[in-house]
Coordinates of all heavy atoms in Angstrom, one line a residue:
T51 N 73.2 38.0 15.1 CA 72.4 37.8 13.9 C 72.1 36.3 13.7 O 70.9 35.9 13.3 CB 73.1 38.4 12.7 OG1 73.2 39.8 13.0 CG2 72.2 38.3 11.4
A52 N 73.1 35.5 13.8 CA 73.0 34.1 13.5 C 71.9 33.4 14.4 O 71.1 32.6 13.9 CB 74.3 33.4 13.6
F53 N 71.9 33.8 15.7 CA 71.0 33.3 16.6 C 69.6 33.8 16.4 O 68.7 33.0 16.6 CB 71.5 33.4 18.1 CG 72.4 32.3 18.5 CD1 73.7 32.3 18.2 CD2 71.8 31.2 19.2 CE1 74.5 31.1 18.7 CE2 72.6 30.0 19.6 CZ 73.9 30.1 19.3
V54 N 69.5 35.0 16.1 CA 68.2 35.5 15.8 C 67.6 34.9 14.5 O 66.4 34.4 14.6 CB 68.3 37.1 15.5 CG1 66.9 37.6 15.1 CG2 68.6 37.8 16.9
V55 N 68.4 34.8 13.4 CA 67.9 34.1 12.2 C 67.6 32.6 12.5 O 66.5 32.2 12.1 CB 68.9 34.3 11.1 CG1 68.4 33.5 9.8 CG2 69.1 35.8 10.8
G56 N 68.5 32.0 13.2 CA 68.3 30.5 13.3 C 67.2 30.3 14.4 O 66.4 29.4 14.2
G57 N 66.9 31.2 15.3 CA 65.9 31.1 16.2 C 64.5 31.3 15.6 O 63.6 30.6 15.8
I58 N 64.5 32.2 14.5 CA 63.3 32.4 13.8 C 62.8 31.0 13.0 O 61.8 30.7 12.9 CB 63.3 33.6 12.8 CG1 63.4 34.9 13.6 CG2 62.2 33.6 11.7 CD1 63.7 36.1 12.6
A59 N 63.9 30.4 12.5 CA 63.8 29.1 11.8 C 63.2 28.1 12.8 O 62.2 27.3 12.4 CB 65.0 28.6 11.2
I60 N 63.8 28.0 14.0 CA 63.3 27.0 15.0 C 61.8 27.4 15.4 O 61.0 26.6 15.6 CB 64.2 27.0 16.2 CG1 65.6 26.5 15.7 CG2 63.7 26.2 17.3 CD1 65.6 25.2 15.1
L61 N 61.6 28.7 15.5 CA 60.3 29.2 15.8 C 59.2 28.7 14.8 O 58.1 28.2 15.2 CB 60.1 30.6 15.9 CG 60.6 31.3 17.2 CD1 60.6 32.9 17.1 CD2 59.6 31.0 18.4
L62 N 59.5 28.7 13.5 CA 58.6 28.2 12.5 C 58.3 26.7 12.7 O 57.2 26.2 12.6 CB 59.2 28.5 11.1 CG 59.1 29.9 10.7 CD1 59.9 30.2 9.4 CD2 57.7 30.4 10.5
V63 N 59.4 25.9 13.0 CA 59.2 24.5 13.2 C 58.4 24.2 14.5 O 57.6 23.4 14.6 CB 60.7 23.9 13.3 CG1 60.5 22.3 13.7 CG2 61.3 23.9 12.0
G64 N 58.7 25.2 15.5 CA 58.0 25.0 16.8 C 56.5 25.4 16.6 O 55.7 24.8 17.3
L65 N 56.2 26.2 15.6 CA 54.7 26.5 15.4 C 53.9 25.2 15.0 O 52.8 25.0 15.5 CB 54.6 27.5 14.3 CG 54.8 29.0 14.8 CD1 54.8 29.9 13.4 CD2 53.6 29.5 15.6
T66 N 54.6 24.4 14.3 CA 53.9 23.0 13.8 C 53.7 22.2 15.1 O 52.7 21.6 15.3 CB 54.7 22.3 12.8 OG1 56.0 21.9 13.3 CG2 54.9 23.2 11.5
Y67 N 54.8 22.1 16.0 CA 54.6 21.4 17.3 C 53.5 22.0 18.0 O 52.8 21.3 18.7 CB 56.0 21.5 18.0 CG 57.0 20.4 17.6 CD1 57.9 20.5 16.6 CD2 57.1 19.3 18.5 CE1 58.7 19.6 16.3 CE2 57.9 18.2 18.2 CZ 58.8 18.4 17.1 OH 59.8 17.5 16.9
A68 N 53.5 23.4 18.2 CA 52.4 24.0 19.1 C 51.1 23.7 18.6 O 50.3 23.3 19.5 CB 52.7 25.5 19.0
E69 N 50.8 23.7 17.3 CA 49.4 23.3 16.9 C 49.1 21.8 17.2 O 48.0 21.5 17.7 CB 49.2 23.6 15.5 CG 47.9 23.2 15.0 CD 47.6 23.7 13.6 OE1 47.7 24.9 13.3 OE2 47.3 22.8 12.7
L70 N 50.1 20.9 16.9 CA 49.8 19.6 17.0 C 49.8 19.1 18.5 O 48.9 18.4 19.0 CB 50.9 18.8 16.3 CG 50.8 18.9 14.8 CD1 52.0 18.3 14.2 CD2 49.6 18.3 14.2
A71 N 50.6 19.8 19.4 CA 50.6 19.5 20.9 C 49.2 20.0 21.4 O 48.8 19.2 22.3 CB 51.7 20.1 21.5
S72 N 48.6 21.0 21.0 CA 47.5 21.4 21.7 C 46.3 20.6 21.0 O 45.3 20.4 21.8 CB 47.2 22.9 21.3 OG 47.1 23.1 19.9
A73 N 46.4 20.1 19.9 CA 45.4 19.3 19.4 C 45.4 17.9 19.8 O 44.3 17.2 20.0 CB 45.5 19.3 17.8
M74 N 46.6 17.4 20.1 CA 46.6 16.0 20.5 C 47.7 15.9 21.7 O 48.8 15.5 21.6 CB 47.3 15.1 19.4 CG 46.2 14.8 18.3 SD 47.0 14.2 16.8 CE 47.7 15.7 16.0
P75 N 47.2 16.4 22.9 CA 48.1 16.4 24.0 C 48.2 15.0 24.8 O 47.9 14.8 26.0 CB 47.3 17.3 25.0 CG 45.8 17.1 24.6 CD 45.8 16.8 23.3
Q76 N 48.7 14.0 24.0 CA 49.0 12.8 24.6 C 50.5 12.5 24.7 O 51.4 13.1 24.1 CB 48.4 11.7 23.7 CG 46.9 11.4 23.8 CD 46.1 12.4 22.9 OE1 46.6 12.8 21.9 NE2 44.9 12.8 23.5
V77 N 50.8 11.6 25.6 CA 52.3 11.3 25.8 C 52.9 10.7 24.5 O 52.3 10.0 23.7 CB 52.3 10.2 26.9 CG1 51.8 8.8 26.4 CG2 53.8 9.9 27.2
G78 N 54.0 11.1 24.3 CA 54.9 10.7 23.1 C 55.0 11.8 22.0 O 55.8 11.7 21.2
G79 N 54.0 12.8 22.1 CA 54.1 13.9 21.2 C 54.3 13.3 19.6 O 53.2 13.1 19.1
E80 N 55.5 13.5 19.1 CA 55.7 13.0 17.7 C 55.1 11.8 17.4 O 54.7 11.6 16.2 CB 57.2 13.1 17.4 CG 57.9 14.5 17.6 CD 58.4 14.8 19.0 OE1 58.0 14.1 19.9 OE2 59.3 15.6 19.1
H81 N 55.1 10.9 18.3 CA 54.7 9.5 18.1 C 53.2 9.6 17.7 O 52.8 8.8 16.8 CB 54.9 8.8 19.5 CG 54.2 7.3 19.5 ND1 54.5 6.4 18.4 CD2 53.3 6.9 20.3 CE1 53.7 5.4 18.9 NE2 53.0 5.6 19.9
V82 N 52.4 10.4 18.5 CA 51.0 10.4 18.2 C 50.7 11.2 16.8 O 49.9 10.8 16.1 CB 50.3 11.2 19.4 CG1 48.8 11.3 19.1 CG2 50.6 10.5 20.6
Y83 N 51.4 12.3 16.7 CA 51.1 13.1 15.4 C 51.4 12.2 14.1 O 50.7 12.2 13.2 CB 51.9 14.3 15.3 CG 52.1 15.1 16.7 CD1 53.3 15.8 17.0 CD2 51.1 15.0 17.6 CE1 53.4 16.5 18.2 CE2 51.2 15.7 18.8 CZ 52.4 16.4 19.1 OH 52.7 17.1 20.2
S84 N 52.7 11.6 14.2 CA 53.1 10.9 13.0 C 52.2 9.7 12.8 O 52.0 9.3 11.6 CB 54.5 10.6 13.0 OG 54.8 9.8 14.2
Y85 N 51.8 9.1 13.8 CA 50.7 7.9 13.6 C 49.6 8.3 13.0 O 49.1 7.7 12.0 CB 50.6 7.2 14.9 CG 49.5 6.2 14.9 CD1 49.8 4.9 14.6 CD2 48.2 6.4 15.1 CE1 48.9 3.8 14.4 CE2 47.2 5.4 15.0 CZ 47.6 4.1 14.6 OH 46.6 3.1 14.4
R86 N 49.1 9.4 13.4 CA 47.6 9.8 12.9 C 47.9 10.2 11.5 O 46.9 10.1 10.7 CB 47.1 11.0 13.8 CG 45.8 11.4 13.4 CD 45.0 12.1 14.5 NE 43.7 12.5 14.3 CZ 42.8 12.7 15.1 NH1 43.1 12.8 16.5 NH2 41.5 13.1 14.8

Side-chain angles (χ1 to χ4, degrees):
T51 301
F53 268 87
V54 172
V55 172
I58 291 171
I60 297 298
L61 277 169
L62 289 171
V63 175
L65 281 171
T66 65
Y67 269 87
E69 177 171 299
L70 294 171
S72 67
M74 290 168 277
Q76 281 86 28
V77 66
E80 296 91 341
H81 171 59
V82 179
Y83 321 146
S84 55
Y85 174 85
R86 186 160 185 161

